[in-house]
Structure formats: structure tokens, C-alpha cells
Amino acid sequence: MKRSVTLLISNIFATIWSLIMIYFVSSFFARGGAVYFVWANRMNYFLTELLESMEDVQIFMALLNVFYIFVAIYTFFYVLATILGWIGYITKSRGPALAAAILFLVGTLFGLIFILFSLPIIILSFVGQGCQRKVNITSKNNYSSTIS
């Protein structure tokens, strides 16, 4: 039985993107979150001049941490969807591939800022699972016609 090439391409893109996101999310949280981000990028002086009080800086850092929590949720959905996509590709099954496409879509709701990178993966994933369905039907028909 054949496999969907579109699903393979989608899984390769999703794997690369998931690895990049894992690297950034893990490095952000491992180094101390927004406090490290502000100090490491020498933004403290800029922020205090811009926001004019320490309370505003603390609010900005809290919002930055909330943003990265959404990015972490986005990354979790993408990693889970990538695993399901590879399971669907390896087992030649449409179900895990469809679940992966839906999880890519749900994950993108948490990381709308990454829509430019997510949209091609979502489209390829939905098209790939549809192609896998057609490949499965064609293979089943060819198998049943050779037996009769």
C-alpha cells in the first residue's frame, strides 16, 4: 500500500517547526522567563524610560510571561500533532493524520502570531490526510480486483 506524499511533506515541515519551537520555549523557561529576557537584552533602561515606572515594567514582564505560556501551549499542541502525523503516515491510517490536522489548527489558535508558519502546515496536513484516504481506497480496490 502506498503513502501520501503530501502527508510526508507536512510531517517533515511540522517536525522542523516543532524542533525550533521546542528549542525557543525550553531556552526561555530554562533561563528564568521574562526577567532574563529583559536583562539579557539590555532592555531594562529602555523599558524604565519608556514606561516611566517600575510597576509598568512589572506589568510588561507579566504580560511577556503570559505570552510565552501561550507559546508553550502552542508548542505542546504542535509536538503532539507532529507525533500523531507521523503515526498516521507510518501506519497509513487516515485517523491519526486527521487528528494531527485538527490539533495543528487548535494549536494555531494559541499562537496566532505564528500563523505565517502554521498555515502551510495546516493546509498540507488536511490535504495529506485526504490524499491518504484516496490512496487507501485505491489500494483496497486494486487489492480486491486482483483477488477476484
Side-chain angles (χ1 to χ4, degrees):
M1 205 181 331
K2 291 184 172 184
R3 292 185 168 102
S4 169
V5 177
T6 313
L7 190 58
L8 174 66
I9 293 169
S10 168
N11 287 338
I12 290 171
F13 285 160
T15 302
I16 292 168
W17 183 242
S18 293
L19 290 175
I20 291 169
M21 291 307 297
I22 287 171
Y23 171 75
F24 284 117
V25 168
S26 64
S27 66
F28 178 79
F29 285 115
R31 293 182 179 154
V35 175
Y36 174 79
F37 176 79
V38 170
W39 285 102
N41 294 312
R42 309 289 189 258
M43 291 178 61
N44 192 32
Y45 176 75
F46 172 73
L47 285 176
T48 53
E49 290 297 319
L50 179 67
L51 302 174
E52 298 187 11
S53 77
M54 276 316 263
E55 290 177 6
D56 293 339
V57 172
Q58 290 172 348
I59 290 170
F60 173 77
M61 289 194 301
L63 289 175
L64 192 62
N65 277 328
V66 168
F67 168 74
Y68 270 101
I69 288 171
F70 277 107
V71 171
I73 294 170
Y74 166 83
T75 304
F76 171 76
F77 275 113
Y78 260 69
V79 168
L80 185 63
T82 302
I83 293 168
L84 282 175
W86 280 113
I87 289 171
Y89 178 76
I90 290 169
T91 61
K92 303 173 193 166
S93 176
R94 180 179 171 235
L98 179 61
I102 293 170
L103 281 176
F104 284 134
L105 192 60
V106 170
T108 302
L109 295 176
F110 285 99
L112 286 176
I113 195 167
F114 303 115
I115 191 90
L116 187 64
F117 302 106
S118 301
L119 200 56
I121 295 172
I122 292 169
I123 293 169
L124 285 172
S125 190
F126 275 108
V127 171
Q129 66 87 20
C131 290
Q132 185 62 49
R133 178 176 175 248
K134 288 180 185 177
V135 166
N136 290 347
I137 290 171
T138 305
S139 298
K140 186 176 179 182
N141 289 341
N142 288 343
Y143 179 75
S144 63
S145 66
T146 56
I147 289 179
S148 348

